[in-house]
Amino acid sequence: MKALRGEPFPKGPPRHNVTSMAAPPSRPASGELPLLPLRSMSLLPGLPQPIELGRTTSVSAVERARSRREGDPLAKLVVVATQRDALVERPELDDLYPVGLLAEVTQALHGVPGRMTAIVRGLHRVRILGLHRGADVTTVQYQRAHETMGDPTLAYALAGALQDLVRQHDESLPAASKNRNRAQTLAVLSAERAPGSICDLAATHVDLESEEAVEVLMELQITERLRKMLERVSHRINVLHVKRDLDKHVRDHLSKHEQEALLRHKLRAIQSQLADDVEEDAWLDELAARLDEKALTEHARDEVAREINRLRRMNPQSQEANTARTYLELMADLPWGEQDSTEDKLDLESARALLEREHFGLDKVKKRIIEYLSVRKLAPKKRGPLLCLAGPPGVGKTSLAKSIAESLGRTFVRMALGGVRDDAEVRGHRRTYVGALPGRLVQQMRKAKTTNPVFLLDEIDKLGGDANRGDPASAFLEALDPEQNDEFEDHYLGTPYDLSKVIFICTANDVSKIPPVLRDRLEFIHLSGYTLPEKIAIGRDYLVPRVLTEHGMDAGRVRFADEAFELISTQYTRESGVRNLQRQIEAMLRDVAMNVVEANDTSGAAPIELGAADVERVLGPPRYHEDALDEDPPVGVVTGLGWTPTGGRLLVVEASSSPGEGKLRLTGRLGSVMKESGQTALSLIRSRAEVLGVDPVQLRKVDLHVHVPAGAVPKDGPSAGITVTTAVVSKLTGRRVRNDVCMTGEVTLHGRVLAIGGVREKVLAAHRAGAKTVILPAQNRKDELDIPEAVRGDIEICYVDRVEEVLKIALLDPEPVEAAS
């Protein structure tokens, strides 16, 4: 019997008389009652059924019916009707089937606010004549439907046959579908004598579909209704018999496969005794032999033995056998122990020569790599630090890692971490999942075929995280921590794997974006951007010969003038590295290759010279304009310095004033830290106005506006503090700022100048722009050695402790005021 959404029926058979075809005397044959519309079920006369109500009008209809006083003929009565379309929220008369059911609400259970479960018992069929929608309850006019029996003898014969079919239907049901409620309703059905009631009870008992139940409800001729029910129940019995036969066939088929697997196992044992080589099982024996040769750990060997024994008992065509075979092949392909490792080459001279040959400059980085190799030579078993090469794109981080692997004579493998957001990509999936794979660490070790490769974790700062899929950064901890990576747990392997002999090297562009748990375990080697002379040297000595070879030309076939390199580096690329420089060189050489082929001049008798004019001809008009200092800056304009992942940049700060109340406005898409620097600068000027030469009265009578141009570019950081301070003081005092000065530094409320980062990149940017003086915090004096000697010789670096020193260096004397004639 169907119960909507699993609500239980009242225990025991109903005590009312369901055999009576006439309505009780107290039930009116017509009238107006609240409507209870049903979306996906139909109620039939007979047994009570639970109905879940969610619509406000339905809940109100039940409450109104139950609110009538005892003795009222309409107490607890509603009209139940089925909707033609279940998606209609507020059905009209045309949206309902014309025949409904007069029903009694025997019980109402309140649960979630706004919802109700009502126990409703159908009484008899009614015709719905009209519908009236009230404020909270919809009512319908109804009239009892007239039912006809036809030939009584035929009706009683059909009813008896239907009772027998229902009993046969229940006997054909699986054991899991039989329960106490079904037995009780079958007993009620067997005791019924009225043909119409037998038909309705049978329809409820066999769980008709909603459309079938509506068809039974709409049929007012009892004999025809019984015929339809006999067809429905007979069809269901046939379906049940077919399902039973199919289930038996599947069970027999599975038993047959199990028997075949057992016989196949016995056959292998017999053939083994007869020394008969079975070709179809040769792969398993070969795989077992490969695994025997591996230096597996004890735990791994037990796991492998268990899988091999399972595989021998399985049907080779089953999915489980394929999964086990894939796992064993992975274990056989992985490197294990000393036998699968390579011997290190620790020749420092060769390593130094290799680094010099492959990389220009980067003396500190090369020195750190040689130190690392030296320690490996003195203490081969010492676990080295986790190196992280940090720097902007294109400065040679990946190629440095390759050089380390080459100098050691080890295999180099690379794992890109950009976009990795699932810890299963690091630890793998458990083999119980369909399509499970090992983690990417294990997959790369399989490709390396050695236990001690140089493993590059590229772009570790791009690691993502998702609360629903785990944290990949945390999953890397076990692999990277030297104290525990000798027993790295991959979910797919199911056994510890030794990663302690692997040299892990990471790369990153922005160190601040590396998850803190990883950043704490890394030793950073910072690679700064290249200066213009360095880019020219790299382009001439490294990039051009390599690109010429790639384009099928001799190394000396094309010569670039230095001004061509300078033009490409400053006006066609904007980067700290040389990646885009190489792309532009490739574009130039493609043009040369085209001209050579068209002229049929492949002999290369005379070298081809490329200058600045050729650059503009091939690459088109310049794409960038290098930052340059304003030759005649107005009052309130100061040139600061900023840091970006692609190098240093000039940061112009403008200040203006207007009559007002001493307010400050900051614009230019500034971040919160930079806005706080502006507020700090204004508070400092107010507190030390007289010392800084500012009129306190004037300061209270003007509004200040500080703007940083390039408003589409986000800017943030504390290093613009002294720049904003200088710009505001310049505007308030009317003193211009020197046009050859750049500055950077954080300022405090008491006028102290604090250290900042990115000194090398900022000073290089000032040097490219033609600055002669750079003002830096005194605490950054330690960073002077990072600045190239050629740059230090061209500019004057002034170290300051207080903002007064900044103003003394940067501000010009007040311009004399011309006397009025």
Side-chain angles (χ1 to χ4, degrees):
M1 179 172 151
K2 183 186 296 181
L4 187 63
R5 294 185 177 91
E7 288 292 336
F9 293 111
K11 294 182 178 180
R15 298 184 180 276
H16 58 279
N17 182 15
V18 299
T19 64
S20 174
M21 297 298 295
S26 60
R27 305 302 188 191
S30 63
E32 184 172 357
L33 285 173
L35 171 67
L36 192 62
L38 303 182
R39 295 181 189 270
S40 58
M41 67 172 291
S42 291
L43 190 68
L44 293 168
L47 299 176
Q49 292 194 66
I51 303 175
E52 281 197 11
L53 306 178
R55 286 182 280 196
T56 305
T57 54
S58 299
V59 174
S60 300
V62 172
E63 291 176 346
R64 175 176 292 189
R66 292 180 59 81
S67 66
R68 295 179 184 271
R69 66 181 184 278
E70 293 292 337
D72 189 337
L74 302 180
K76 300 183 180 180
L77 293 184
V78 292
V79 173
V80 179
T82 303
Q83 296 181 197
R84 298 180 186 272
D85 185 355
L87 300 179
V88 176
E89 186 66 26
R90 296 169 60 85
E92 299 294 338
L93 184 61
D94 293 340
D95 297 321
L96 303 173
Y97 286 103
V99 176
L101 198 66
L102 183 68
E104 178 185 14
V105 181
T106 61
Q107 190 176 1
L109 306 174
H110 291 274
V112 179
R115 301 186 69 87
M116 174 189 291
T117 300
I119 309 299
V120 181
R121 179 172 64 89
L123 301 177
H124 58 73
R125 291 169 174 79
V126 296
R127 292 188 181 274
I128 300 174
L129 306 177
L131 182 145
H132 172 69
R133 192 176 302 283
D136 56 348
V137 177
T138 301
T139 59
V140 292
Q141 292 83 34
Y142 72 93
Q143 183 177 25
R144 178 168 182 174
H146 178 65
E147 299 181 58
T148 61
M149 181 178 292
D151 185 357
T153 303
L154 178 61
Y156 279 99
L158 293 175
L162 181 59
Q163 288 174 317
D164 294 338
L165 275 180
V166 171
R167 282 191 288 269
Q168 185 179 350
H169 171 272
D170 276 23
E171 292 172 357
S172 302
L173 287 174
S177 301
K178 299 177 181 179
N179 52 46
R180 182 180 177 185
N181 284 338
R182 180 169 290 276
Q184 291 175 346
T185 55
L186 182 61
V188 173
L189 175 63
S190 301
E192 184 60 53
R193 293 292 177 267
S197 298
I198 290 174
C199 187
D200 293 336
L201 288 172
T204 303
H205 183 73
V206 298
D207 295 338
L208 292 181
E209 298 294 335
S210 179
E211 294 80 4
E212 297 173 339
V214 168
E215 188 178 351
V216 172
L217 179 66
M218 297 283 292
E219 182 58 60
L220 300 180
Q221 216 287 331
I222 296 176
T223 304
E224 187 62 28
R225 191 191 308 164
L226 286 166
R227 291 181 188 276
K228 291 181 179 179
M229 274 305 303
L230 283 168
E231 293 177 1
R232 303 291 186 198
V233 177
S234 298
H235 174 69
R236 287 179 175 272
I237 292 173
N238 292 334
V239 171
L240 289 172
H241 287 170
V242 171
K243 287 184 177 180
R244 183 182 60 191
D245 293 341
L246 286 175
D247 291 341
K248 184 177 183 300
H249 176 73
V250 171
R251 287 195 301 270
D252 294 344
H253 186 65
L254 289 178
S255 300
K256 182 179 179 182
H257 273 285
E258 293 174 358
Q259 185 179 10
E260 288 178 356
L262 179 61
L263 292 174
R264 194 175 288 108
H265 178 69
K266 291 180 178 180
L267 179 61
R268 280 198 296 265
I270 295 172
Q271 291 169 337
S272 176
Q273 292 293 329
L274 298 174
D276 186 10
D277 184 23
V278 184
E279 183 178 353
E280 65 180 35
D281 291 338
W283 65 269
L284 183 56
D285 297 332
E286 180 183 348
L287 185 58
R290 287 177 57 197
L291 289 166
D292 286 339
E293 295 173 358
K294 291 287 182 178
L296 301 176
T297 63
E298 183 178 354
H299 188 281
R301 195 167 295 282
D302 292 343
E303 185 74 13
V304 165
R306 186 173 66 87
E307 286 296 318
I308 290 178
N309 291 334
R310 289 182 62 243
L311 186 56
R312 291 188 186 278
R313 295 192 300 269
M314 291 179 187
N315 179 4
Q317 306 303 322
S318 66
Q319 179 63 36
E320 292 83 359
N322 291 330
T323 302
R325 179 173 180 175
T326 303
Y327 171 74
L328 292 173
E329 288 176 346
L330 171 66
M331 296 291 281
D333 291 341
L334 280 175
W336 297 86
E338 295 292 338
Q339 66 182 26
D340 289 332
S341 62
T342 57
E343 186 177 353
D344 288 343
K345 295 189 303 183
L346 298 174
D347 187 345
L348 298 186
E349 293 301 324
S350 298
R352 187 177 285 110
L354 174 65
L355 292 174
E356 292 295 338
R357 183 175 66 252
E358 297 291 336
H359 305 279
F360 179 82
L362 305 176
D363 294 333
K364 289 181 63 176
V365 179
K366 293 176 182 177
K367 180 176 179 294
R368 181 65 185 87
I369 294 174
I370 296 300
E371 292 172 352
Y372 180 75
L373 298 179
S374 301
V375 174
R376 298 287 300 184
K377 187 171 184 178
L378 295 175
K381 298 192 177 190
K382 183 182 183 300
R383 297 179 181 179
L386 292 171
L387 300 180
C388 180
L389 305 176
V395 296
K397 300 184 294 295
T398 303
S399 59
L400 271 172
K402 290 181 180 178
S403 297
I404 294 175
E406 187 176 349
S407 62
L408 284 170
R410 293 194 180 192
T411 304
F412 176 79
V413 290
R414 173 181 171 271
M415 176 177 171
L417 300 181
V420 174
R421 297 182 176 276
D422 190 347
D423 65 343
E425 293 197 48
V426 181
R427 289 186 173 275
H429 302 83
R430 301 189 188 279
R431 297 198 302 279
T432 52
Y433 294 106
V434 176
L437 289 173
R440 293 177 63 184
L441 284 172
V442 172
Q443 293 182 40
Q444 293 295 336
M445 292 299 294
R446 184 183 194 176
K447 293 179 182 178
K449 300 184 184 302
T450 175
T451 57
N452 59 345
V454 173
F455 204 122
L456 177 65
L457 300 174
D458 207 7
E459 309 289 359
I460 197 170
D461 56 329
K462 308 301 190 299
L463 269 180
D466 190 334
N468 296 324
R469 293 182 288 181
D471 182 11
S474 299
F476 267 114
L477 291 181
E478 184 182 1
L480 299 182
D481 193 339
E483 299 301 324
Q484 53 182 327
N485 63 2
D486 56 342
E487 291 188 349
F488 173 69
E489 285 280 354
D490 185 275
H491 293 156
Y492 185 86
L493 292 184
T495 183
Y497 188 76
D498 187 4
L499 294 175
S500 61
K501 299 179 181 63
V502 179
I503 296 179
F504 287 102
I505 299 177
C506 308
T507 68
N509 298 133
D510 189 351
V511 173
S512 64
K513 293 183 179 179
I514 300 177
V517 291
L518 284 180
R519 190 166 61 239
D520 182 60
R521 289 166 168 79
L522 300 177
E523 176 185 337
F524 292 97
I525 299 178
H526 293 276
L527 285 74
S528 301
Y530 296 112
T531 63
L532 182 57
E534 289 175 337
K535 288 186 177 182
I536 293 174
I538 292 171
R540 181 182 60 247
D541 301 334
Y542 292 84
L543 298 182
V544 171
R546 180 194 308 166
V547 177
L548 279 171
T549 303
E550 293 173 353
H551 286 68
M553 291 180 279
D554 296 334
R557 183 67 188 274
V558 180
R559 295 177 183 172
F560 279 81
D562 285 353
E563 57 267 21
F565 280 123
E566 182 175 352
L567 184 62
I568 295 174
S569 300
T570 57
Q571 299 189 29
Y572 290 89
T573 64
R574 175 163 287 182
E575 58 177 348
S576 294
V578 293
R579 188 170 292 154
N580 286 323
L581 175 62
Q582 178 175 337
R583 293 192 182 103
Q584 302 306 326
I585 291 174
E586 289 173 349
M588 296 288 296
L589 294 183
R590 284 196 298 270
D591 181 77
V592 171
M594 180 184 66
N595 294 332
V596 167
V597 174
E598 289 179 349
N600 197 21
D601 182 18
T602 57
S603 60
I608 300 173
E609 300 284 344
L610 296 179
D614 297 299
V615 173
E616 295 185 4
R617 176 181 59 82
V618 177
L619 301 182
R623 301 173 188 174
Y624 305 101
H625 296 284
E626 187 66 20
D627 295 335
L629 296 173
D630 192 344
E631 295 182 358
D632 186 22
V635 173
V637 177
V638 184
T639 303
L641 296 170
W643 178 92
T644 70
T646 59
R649 291 286 178 269
L650 298 189
L651 200 67
V652 179
V653 177
E654 302 174 343
S656 66
S657 62
S658 59
E661 302 175 351
K663 296 180 180 178
L664 175 65
R665 185 183 180 192
L666 298 164
T667 58
R669 201 176 178 188
L670 309 182
S672 58
V673 177
M674 197 165 181
K675 289 181 179 179
E676 291 173 359
S677 296
Q679 298 287 350
T680 303
L682 182 59
S683 299
L684 168 64
I685 295 171
R686 285 173 175 168
S687 64
R688 303 175 64 82
E690 295 181 356
V691 176
L692 301 178
V694 177
D695 183 1
V697 178
Q698 179 193 9
L699 187 57
R700 291 193 296 269
K701 293 182 179 180
V702 297
D703 287 343
L704 295 171
H705 184 178
V706 176
H707 177 69
V708 183
V713 180
K715 313 166 192 72
D716 203 2
S719 62
I722 63 173
T723 310
V724 175
T725 305
T726 305
V728 174
V729 172
S730 170
K731 186 62 183 178
L732 294 175
T733 60
R735 298 171 62 183
R736 294 176 181 270
V737 179
R738 288 170 51 185
N739 63 356
D740 62 346
V741 171
C742 296
M743 62 184 69
T744 179
E746 181 180 355
V747 70
T748 70
L749 286 173
H750 296 284
R752 292 183 58 214
V753 180
L754 303 182
I756 45 81
V759 172
R760 184 180 191 272
E761 290 80 4
K762 294 178 179 179
V763 174
L764 291 178
H767 181 257
R768 288 195 301 268
K772 299 301 181 184
T773 304
V774 176
I775 301 175
L776 295 176
Q779 296 176 359
N780 285 111
R781 193 183 297 271
K782 65 183 186 306
D783 299 313
E784 184 172 342
L785 294 177
D786 294 336
I787 303 171
E789 187 175 353
V791 176
R792 282 181 282 164
D794 286 347
I795 62 175
E796 178 187 6
I797 301 178
C798 300
Y799 295 100
V800 297
D801 283 309
R802 300 196 57 79
V803 73
E804 292 87 353
E805 301 175 50
V806 177
L807 300 178
K808 183 178 179 180
I809 297 170
L811 294 180
L812 297 172
D813 294 333
E815 298 180 359
V817 180
E818 297 182 2
S821 58

